[in-house]
Amino acid sequence: MDTDERQLTPRGEERRRQLIEFAARRFAENGYHPTSVAEIVEGLGVGKGVFYWYFDSKDELFRAILSEGQRDLRRHQRDAIAGDLTPLERVRNGVRASIEWSLEQPVLVRLFQFAATDERFAGLLRQGERIAVRDAAHQIQEAMEAGEIPCADATLLAQAMLGVHTRIVHLMATGQIEATDEIISTAVDFCVNGIRGAADRSFI
Amino acid sequence: MDTDERQLTPRGEERRRQLIEFAARRFAENGYHPTSVAEIVEGLGVGKGVFYWYFDSKDELFRAILSEGQRDLRRHQRDAIAGDLTPLERVRNGVRASIEWSLEQPVLVRLFQFAATDERFAGLLRQGERIAVRDAAHQIQEAMEAGEIPCADATLLAQAMLGVHTRIVHLMATGQIEATDEIISTAVDFCVNGIRGAADRSFI
DNA sequence: CATTCACTTGACCGATCGGTCAACAATGGG
DNA sequence: CCCATTGTTGACCGATCGGTCAAGTGAATG
């Protein structure tokens, strides 16, 4: 029987959460491959069978962690650009919210970064990225149509912003730069200026 | 005896190169941890002892790959900003050269990305990054002093540019966007506009 | 030809890996 | 109280891991 079709009681749901949270932390600290299933179940003080009651494999557990993390990030991004804002304000808020969420979720950020380097998980990661990028590109496109910024390849600019976001968050999470509001603002400004000053390369 | 103090004959040098190149390719394709030493030596058709004649451990081999890769990238960056150029031209050329080198070295790019996620190698990777960032920041600083761009945190802007570079290269290497000259130009423009339009947040 | 040292072989080692399973405990509805 | 279902145990499995080493081979030097 597939573990993801199993009917879980509240007790079961809690155990599943424990496994996901403990494993995510160990994966982030030690790496995915070097962290064994034995280590995870010992850390929770349970038998090995518990693990395979809730997950078909170690890979599937990691995919579950990824999916839930992406869903949470996505929710925060959505909330950040809600309300009555100009397109450019939406872009600014979206970038800032993503950075702030990432600073609160260093474990997931680290796992996202690893997932990008492993073929087993890269596809799943890309799915989530594509949605976020498409949305950001949509806001940029609207800013262009509103005349706030010159026309250019909106998707590419969104990807560039994601690059800035990823780098800044990585530096803050590893303690290489401080996570002050001023530095976040400078990073956000870099992004906004990057798209605002973009030369017209579109064919519109 | 430490393997890195060993005196190698030309034959030995060649074998070392074979090991580094084959292993780098396998690490990039399959991942570092999932690729075994046995797989590497079998791929080269040699006995296992050969591996441990040239390297103390699998980890040390990976570190050697990283070091040599970073040295090569560094050389290209240096060449790109040589000559009689304005600071802003230097920045532009440096970013472009880094992107182009990365497109020619997809294997190393992939390994750099993985190294950033593993504590065993993150330190070594950071060393090389710091040098590159320091140099880029130096060019940006000069552009500020020459009045080409407003004053701001030069190091942070250099890091933001590195973020754009990393993301764009990753997308091109994974086939998510085309590696056309026009797209590279848009990315470089994003970087230049990002630092050019930056608000004055310095204390100077 | 003899010596030397760089290089190579591959069987072997203990440890650990992801995953299985038969037996057993807890829970809750009837 | 019974019983079905959910949840748990931990010994066990074959495979594979990184790493070792005594025994060799190759080629250059004298």
Side-chain angles (χ1 to χ4, degrees):
Chain A
M1 193 216 266
D2 272 3
T3 55
D4 53 322
E5 292 169 6
R6 233 194 278 278
Q7 194 56 35
L8 298 182
T9 66
R11 176 188 169 200
E13 292 282 3
E14 162 141 15
R15 186 63 96 196
R16 204 183 114 97
R17 279 246 62 83
Q18 286 178 358
L19 282 163
I20 282 190
E21 267 165 38
F22 185 81
R25 213 162 54 234
R26 296 302 300 141
F27 287 160
E29 288 166 359
N30 248 15
Y32 171 74
H33 293 293
T35 301
S36 66
V37 174
E39 186 184 332
I40 293 169
V41 294
E42 276 161 27
L44 255 58
V46 297
K48 212 174 196 178
V50 169
F51 185 97
Y52 290 96
W53 176 258
Y54 294 97
F55 302 98
D56 281 329
S57 65
K58 197 182 154 188
D59 277 23
E60 201 217 278
L61 162 64
F62 191 79
R63 280 190 208 101
I65 294 172
L66 275 190
S67 294
E68 299 199 7
Q70 285 181 315
R71 208 179 315 139
D72 191 55
L73 168 56
R74 183 107 196 85
R75 248 201 333 270
H76 278 73
Q77 285 172 335
R78 236 197 262 280
D79 294 348
I81 62 172
D84 191 20
L85 301 168
T86 68
L88 209 52
E89 281 171 339
R90 266 190 240 276
V91 170
R92 194 181 282 278
N93 287 4
V95 174
R96 179 173 279 274
S98 299
I99 292 177
E100 283 166 355
W101 179 88
S102 299
L103 291 176
E104 284 167 13
Q105 301 287 349
V107 166
L108 288 174
V109 168
R110 184 109 181 212
L111 299 185
F112 287 176
Q113 197 188 350
F114 165 74
T117 73
D118 195 308
E119 287 297 346
R120 292 172 193 74
F121 313 117
L124 180 57
L125 190 75
R126 278 205 268 275
Q127 271 182 240
E129 276 178 355
R130 242 197 288 269
I131 296 172
V133 167
R134 183 165 10 90
D135 267 27
H138 178 71
Q139 305 302 337
I140 293 174
Q141 190 71 49
E142 290 210 340
M144 288 174 186
E145 285 162 10
E148 290 189 292
I149 57 175
C151 287
D153 182 337
T155 300
L156 187 60
L157 296 178
Q159 292 281 10
M161 293 198 322
L162 178 51
V164 175
H165 158 267
T166 302
R167 180 73 193 163
I168 293 313
V169 164
H170 172 74
L171 291 170
M172 288 178 173
T174 55
Q176 294 180 74
I177 61 176
E178 289 176 271
T180 66
D181 209 67
E182 190 189 346
I183 290 182
I184 295 177
S185 293
T186 304
V188 174
D189 285 346
F190 181 94
C191 290
V192 174
N193 291 323
I195 65 174
R196 191 151 53 187
D200 189 342
R201 293 180 178 279
S202 74
F203 297 102
I204 301 174
Chain B
M1 192 215 270
D2 271 2
T3 55
D4 54 321
E5 293 169 6
R6 234 193 277 280
Q7 194 56 37
L8 297 182
T9 65
R11 177 189 167 197
E13 292 283 5
E14 161 141 16
R15 186 65 93 198
R16 205 183 114 99
R17 278 245 65 80
Q18 286 178 0
L19 282 164
I20 282 190
E21 266 164 38
F22 186 80
R25 214 161 53 233
R26 296 303 300 142
F27 287 159
E29 288 166 358
N30 248 20
Y32 171 74
H33 293 294
T35 301
S36 67
V37 174
E39 186 184 332
I40 293 169
V41 295
E42 276 160 27
L44 256 56
V46 297
K48 212 174 195 180
V50 168
F51 186 97
Y52 290 95
W53 175 259
Y54 295 98
F55 303 99
D56 281 328
S57 65
K58 198 183 154 188
D59 277 22
E60 201 217 281
L61 162 63
F62 192 79
R63 275 188 270 269
I65 293 172
L66 275 190
S67 295
E68 299 200 6
Q70 286 181 314
R71 208 179 315 141
D72 192 54
L73 168 57
R74 184 105 196 85
R75 248 202 329 271
H76 278 72
Q77 286 172 335
R78 235 197 262 279
D79 292 349
I81 62 173
D84 192 20
L85 301 168
T86 70
L88 209 53
E89 281 171 339
R90 266 189 242 275
V91 170
R92 194 181 280 278
N93 287 4
V95 174
R96 179 172 279 273
S98 298
I99 293 177
E100 283 166 354
W101 179 89
S102 299
L103 291 176
E104 284 168 13
Q105 302 286 349
V107 166
L108 288 173
V109 168
R110 185 111 180 208
L111 300 185
F112 287 176
Q113 197 187 350
F114 165 75
T117 73
D118 195 309
E119 288 296 346
R120 292 173 193 74
F121 312 118
L124 180 57
L125 190 75
R126 278 205 268 275
Q127 271 183 239
E129 275 179 355
R130 243 197 288 268
I131 296 172
V133 167
R134 182 163 15 89
D135 267 27
H138 178 72
Q139 305 302 334
I140 293 174
Q141 191 69 49
E142 289 210 340
M144 289 173 184
E145 285 162 9
E148 290 190 289
I149 58 174
C151 286
D153 183 336
T155 300
L156 187 60
L157 296 178
Q159 292 281 10
M161 294 200 319
L162 179 51
V164 175
H165 158 268
T166 302
R167 181 73 192 161
I168 292 316
V169 164
H170 176 250
L171 292 170
M172 289 178 173
T174 55
Q176 293 180 75
I177 61 175
E178 290 175 88
T180 66
D181 209 68
E182 190 188 345
I183 290 181
I184 295 177
S185 293
T186 304
V188 175
D189 285 347
F190 181 94
C191 290
V192 173
N193 290 322
I195 64 174
R196 191 151 55 188
D200 187 342
R201 291 179 180 281
S202 73
F203 297 101
I204 299 173

